[in-house]
Amino acid sequence: MIVQQILKSKGGGHVVTVKPTMTVAEVTKILAEKRIGGVIVTAGGDTAEGILSERDIVRALSHRGSGILTDTAETLMTRNPVCCERSDTADEVLRRMTDGRFRHMPVVEDGKLIGIVTIGDVVKARLSELSMERDALEGMIAGH
Ligand code: AMP
């Protein structure tokens, strides 16, 4: 299973992005409304300059208090996030997410943002692949 197949199974490459100048309060509203855990931060809309996740916001709230809500997304985001490409395998993406302890990964092509995969997307894809493999093996053993 490769990233391209995961993007297809999600129904394409729609990505929720925010501008670097958007306030953290506005970003939290988007995270809540869209029921997602992170957004890509991009000025022009087609490059992943940063990623701002609920964890960044919770950590900053805990350290500095509610004043951070009027800070901009770019002050809290992680710059130059680790990205993947369409041809990367689900196992490779999962390994990089586990090693880096993050759950979101922008998908890029020639440096341009074309999608996002989460650890949930990758685990779901791997589980369905493993289930198909198990069915095929059972079929072979049963002689079907
Ligand atoms: P997450 O588990 O994705 O909510 O993020 C945990 C931490 O890793 C946060 O500080 C994020 O800004 C950061 N992060 C999320 N995705 C990535 C990524 N693809 N590359 C680098 N850092 C990331």
Side-chain angles (χ1 to χ4, degrees), residues 37-40 50-57 59 76-84 97 100-106 116-117 119:
V39 285
I40 307 274
I51 190 156
L52 182 59
S53 116
E54 56 198 359
R55 291 208 177 157
D56 299 311
I57 298 174
R59 203 177 301 137
L76 291 195
M77 72 184 187
T78 300
R79 286 172 196 275
N80 304 317
V82 178
C83 298
C84 62
M97 284 179 169
R101 295 173 185 273
F102 47 75
R103 301 164 296 175
H104 300 85
M105 207 185 267
I116 186 168
V117 288
I119 202 159

